[in-house]
Amino acid sequence: MATKTINILISTLALFSIFLSLANSTDFHYPSVFNFGDSISDTGGHAAGLGFFLGPPNGEKYFKTSSTGRFSDGRLIVDFLVDAMDLPFLNAYLDSVGVPTFRKGCNFATAGSTILPATATSISPFSFGIQVAQFLRFKARALELRAKNKKLDKYLPKEEYFGQALYMFDIGQNDIAGAFYSKSLDEILASIPTILVEFENGIKKLYDQGARNFWIHNTGPLGCLTQNVAKFGTDPSKLDELGCVGSHNQAAKIFNVQLHALCKNFRAQYSDANVTYIDIFTIKSNLIADYSRYGFEQPIMACCGYGGPPLNYNNRIRCGQTKNLNGTWVTAKGCPDSTEYVSWDGIHYTEAANQFVSSQILTGKYADPPFSDEMPFLLKLKF
């Protein structure tokens, strides 16, 4: 634990100097953020929209409650990023309980969502196209209500915020990972252009509505998720040197190459748009490859699960559940110290891992274009 504390302290001090220089040279603020995605950035949409119960120990490390609807023990990457911009955590569009405020932004991400339209077997009906449609309604309704009742100004964005806001995207993981249950690798690779046409159509609709600042995450190393290792990695020959499923990571890499090209083309086609592509794959791969350097002890095994080492994952019981498996009642419990783990529940990251990924994003080294004086992003160390 002492070594881990020293590693974290060194990393924090190093990042502080980077953040300070960037913050001092940047005078930009976003008045609001609108986020689109899946469970990686879902702040309660799935739980509210489908009445999904996400119980403890989810959310209990930071929020001290599982009612936030986050698939983690605490904060997500999107939480750390908006906090770095001096903005509040984003409320889910689908969550109406507790008089949520959307003045500084709104989160349309929902767990299980895909870029391609949902089907009868989809986990979530709120695909990317639906999320974009929800935003269009949100914008129209917000402007209508503000015009009628000034008392609502503190809850809803100003009209100019929609053009000045940052539009964040972290979606596509489920399109790729989910396809492996029914398609070959070649079929999945052949489907990527169709997936990205759907994504491009969505961001074009947002652009037509005045969006100009786009922040796009690529997909992470899907083959390193505990769930995929448990399902597709039983044959050791299918695993790479890090213990990850090679086919999944190959698909993710090819998806990312084409997504990157899309971002470059969009930037060239719309010269007034700020399009920032973030290489999440490299950040997460570096973490898994060199986990001990960053203070972690388990790069793939789930913290909250059932089954014990080496994966502590059983697809029949999710984190926090108690179920009868083969005649015995068992509970998928959290580990004693989640800061030692990269994986929270076999699919999503722990708060500690999310914090690391966020800190790497904010260095600007994994962005295209890299952060500079021209980039509309104010960096602050608030971890």
Side-chain angles (χ1 to χ4, degrees), residues 29-284:
H29 290 270
Y30 291 118
S32 55
V33 169
F34 299 106
N35 184 72
F36 305 82
D38 51 35
S39 57
I40 292 177
S41 60
D42 182 353
T43 56
H46 187 78
L50 296 180
F52 180 81
F53 177 72
L54 191 65
N58 291 286
E60 294 197 335
K61 182 172 183 61
Y62 179 81
F63 299 100
K64 310 304 179 185
T65 176
S66 62
S67 63
T68 66
R70 287 165 170 81
F71 289 80
S72 180
D73 58 322
R75 289 165 290 182
L76 310 179
I77 294 170
V78 68
D79 293 320
F80 286 110
L81 295 183
V82 296
D83 193 44
M85 290 183 274
D86 272 343
L87 293 174
F89 294 153
L90 298 178
N91 288 316
Y93 170 75
L94 294 169
D95 194 355
S96 60
V97 179
V99 194
T101 175
F102 299 109
R103 180 176 172 83
K104 297 292 186 178
C106 184
N107 193 357
F108 299 90
T110 52
S113 293
T114 54
I115 293 175
L116 291 177
T119 66
T121 59
S122 296
I123 295 174
S124 168
F126 306 110
S127 61
F128 181 56
I130 297 298
Q131 292 180 26
V132 171
Q134 289 173 334
F135 167 81
L136 299 181
R137 184 184 186 279
F138 171 85
K139 179 183 177 183
R141 187 69 172 144
L143 297 181
E144 177 187 349
L145 291 173
R146 282 181 62 99
K148 290 181 178 179
N149 189 346
K150 293 299 181 184
K151 292 182 179 180
L152 296 177
D153 288 1
K154 63 180 179 180
Y155 299 107
L156 300 170
K158 295 180 180 179
E159 182 172 6
E160 59 267 28
Y161 284 9
F162 290 99
Q164 300 167 355
L166 181 65
Y167 291 76
M168 300 180 71
F169 308 87
D170 196 327
I171 193 168
Q173 293 80 211
N174 294 320
D175 294 88
I176 303 300
F180 275 95
Y181 287 86
S182 60
K183 296 180 180 180
S184 68
L185 175 60
D186 287 341
E187 289 173 325
I188 293 169
L189 299 183
S191 72
I192 291 175
T194 301
I195 296 171
L196 292 178
V197 165
E198 187 74 17
F199 181 72
E200 185 175 23
N201 289 339
I203 61 175
K204 282 183 176 178
K205 287 181 180 179
L206 296 172
Y207 177 89
D208 291 340
Q209 285 289 315
R212 292 297 181 269
N213 303 309
F214 300 88
W215 181 277
I216 301 171
H217 290 185
N218 71 11
T219 194
L222 301 175
C224 300
L225 296 178
T226 323
Q227 179 188 59
N228 293 328
V229 175
K231 173 67 177 177
F232 300 96
T234 54
D235 180 352
S237 68
K238 304 294 184 182
L239 302 177
D240 62 18
E241 66 279 3
L242 298 179
C244 305
V245 184
S247 57
H248 285 62
N249 282 354
Q250 181 183 350
K253 288 177 181 178
I254 293 175
F255 175 87
N256 290 340
V257 167
Q258 295 185 34
L259 176 63
H260 196 183
L262 184 156
C263 292
K264 291 179 178 178
N265 291 337
F266 194 89
R267 192 185 301 135
Q269 184 176 358
Y270 302 98
S271 58
D272 60 338
N274 300 305
V275 182
T276 304
Y277 171 87
I278 306 294
D279 188 5
I280 297 294
F281 186 97
T282 296
I283 295 173
K284 290 184 175 180

Side-chain angles (χ1 to χ4, degrees), residues 4 17 173 378:
K4 176 177 179 179
S17 63
Q173 293 80 211
L378 177 64

